[in-house]
Structure formats: structure tokens, C-alpha cells
Amino acid sequence: MSDRIFLKRPKNFLSFLRKLLLARWQSLLLLFFGMVLPLFIFEQLAVVIWQNQDFSWDDSILLAIHQTATPELDRFVSWFTQLGVYRGVVPAVIAISIGLLYGRRWRSLAFLLTTTLGSAVINRVAKALLHRIRPSLWNSVSPELDYGFPSGHAMSSMSFVAALVILTWGTRWCWLVLLSGGLFVGAIGWSRLYLGVHFPSDVLAGWMVSLAWAIGVSLVIRPHLIKPSLVSEQALTVSEEKAVETK
């Protein structure tokens, strides 16, 4: 365990800081790239939207994607995009939750529900506060009527996949979930742009805030923590045995 580094009292603050970085560098990298950086990107996007400004690259990306439109692709994407929320993510969350409930995996269940439901709440609050109008570059075959920033489909798919990656972390399923889930998240985001119901900045913002939220919830709930009382009891037993040996 990395905590063994702290068994001896550091001589000074710099020594303590060096040992802390050596022991926790992985957690610090996760904190920075998984929470701080995504939240910073979201904040930068949200500030521009709050000031009623636009991004020059939003329209150009949408128009480039729209050039690939065909009637057949319109029908497919109109169906596929619904997998990002009600026809895909929501049923999957319900099914997995039932499995976790049956398996009495309370911590994992709490993590999954907090991540996915919390993401939905964040999305509604952000849309109500920022009031960004959706694109109107062409008549969408699957129009949406509410506000657009951040993308709800992008947030739903990202929070779900991020939760699955965290739950399967360290297992043989992790990389399969990461690769297939990444493709799914990207495809859902692309579908929102293809239909012209979101700007690219809406999708990017949804991804960033959902990723930060999922990782933040995992650091609080710690879904991989199993039987903490047993661990503490074992640690106490070891410390007592060492105390007896030193007498």
C-alpha cells in the first residue's frame, strides 16, 4: 500500500509533500484530468453562452456534417439518437440497477443512480439558467423545443458509460466497456449534430460536465470499496500483533 510511505514521520514539509505526491500521483492525475480540466472547459463554454456570444466553429461544423445528409440516414439517425436517453440509456440503467439490487451491491447501485440521475438534474438546471436557443441552420427531421446547452443526450450517454467504466475498472470487461462505450458516446454526440438540434459546443459541454460529475461521485461513494469494516479490523489486528512483538 502507498500509505506505507507515511509510516515514518517526514523531517519537514517538503519531505512530506514529496512523499505525498509519490503516494497519490495517480489520484491527483485523475482529479486533474477527470474533474478539474473538464470543469474548466465547461466553465469556459458556459461563460461565452452566458454572455450571449457564439463560437465561430459551431456553424461551420454543423454545415459540414449536414452535407452528408440523405433521406435514409435521416431515418436511421432519428431512431438511433433516441438510444442516448429513453430508448437506450434509461432501460439499461434500470436493468443494471435491478441486477445490482439483486446482488445486494448497494454501493455500486448508489453510485450508478447518483451519477445518472444527478446528471439529468444538472442538465435541466444548466438549460434553465443559460437559455441557449438551438440551431436553426435547417429544418431538422427530429426537432427539439427546449433549450440546447448543454446537450442532454450527450450528458446521459457520457454519464452512463463513465459509470460503467468505473464500475468495471480492474476487471476483464473494462477495456471492452471503454472502447464500445466511447464509440456509443461519440455516435450519440454526432447524431445530435447531424440532426441539427445541438451546436458542437453543446455536446462538448455535456461530455465535460458529465465526466467530471461521474468521477466526482466515484471519489465520494467509492463504489469499489468492499467491506471497509473487515479491512479496518484486519489492520487493527496487524497493529496489535506488532505491538505485542515489540514488548
Side-chain angles (χ1 to χ4, degrees):
M1 297 293 292
S2 58
D3 290 335
R4 293 177 181 175
I5 297 177
F6 298 98
L7 289 178
K8 295 183 178 179
R9 183 183 297 274
K11 297 179 180 179
N12 51 53
F13 174 73
L14 293 179
S15 177
F16 169 80
L17 184 61
R18 181 179 63 83
K19 290 184 177 182
L20 179 65
L21 293 176
L22 288 175
R24 306 299 186 193
W25 66 271
Q26 291 178 324
S27 298
L28 291 173
L29 284 179
L30 175 63
L31 187 64
F32 178 78
F33 288 104
M35 290 189 64
V36 177
L37 186 58
L39 285 177
F40 174 76
I41 295 174
F42 174 78
E43 182 267 341
Q44 293 296 304
L45 295 171
V47 166
V48 174
I49 303 304
W50 180 263
Q51 296 173 347
N52 293 319
Q53 299 179 13
D54 296 320
F55 299 97
S56 59
W57 41 273
D58 269 339
D59 288 352
S60 58
I61 293 176
L62 281 180
L63 292 173
I65 293 177
H66 185 59
Q67 292 179 357
T68 64
T70 64
E72 294 77 14
L73 197 54
D74 287 349
R75 289 191 292 270
F76 170 75
V77 176
S78 296
W79 166 83
F80 175 78
T81 195
Q82 298 304 317
L83 298 179
V85 184
Y86 300 110
R87 295 182 182 177
V89 170
V90 171
V93 169
I94 294 174
I96 296 173
S97 297
I98 293 174
L100 294 175
L101 184 65
Y102 180 78
R104 303 177 67 85
R105 296 180 57 183
W106 314 130
R107 190 177 292 270
S108 296
L109 177 60
F111 166 69
L112 177 63
L113 294 179
T114 303
T115 300
T116 53
L117 295 178
S119 176
V121 173
I122 293 172
N123 178 260
R124 303 314 305 178
V125 171
K127 285 184 175 181
L129 289 176
L130 295 171
H131 287 188
R132 190 186 198 186
I133 304 300
R134 293 177 183 266
S136 57
L137 299 178
W138 65 84
N139 293 326
S140 175
V141 297
S142 182
E144 301 282 357
L145 302 178
D146 60 344
Y147 294 113
F149 185 94
S151 167
H153 286 68
M155 288 189 65
S156 174
S157 58
M158 174 61 84
S159 60
F160 173 63
V161 170
L164 288 186
V165 171
I166 292 171
L167 287 175
T168 59
W169 192 260
T171 71
R172 61 179 180 176
W173 301 105
C174 180
W175 287 107
L176 177 62
V177 172
L178 182 61
L179 294 176
S180 59
L183 291 175
F184 175 71
V185 170
I188 291 296
W190 166 83
S191 72
R192 307 310 286 165
L193 304 182
Y194 176 90
L195 294 172
V197 294
H198 278 295
F199 292 105
S201 52
D202 298 338
V203 173
L204 179 60
W207 286 343
M208 293 298 99
V209 71
S210 292
L211 179 62
W213 171 250
I215 293 177
V217 173
S218 73
L219 294 176
V220 174
I221 296 182
R222 301 169 66 188
H224 294 296
L225 182 62
I226 302 175
K227 296 182 180 179
S229 59
L230 178 60
V231 174
S232 60
E233 290 173 1
Q234 291 176 344
L236 180 60
T237 302
V238 172
S239 63
E240 290 175 345
E241 291 176 353
K242 289 183 177 179
V244 172
E245 293 175 354
T246 56
K247 291 182 178 180

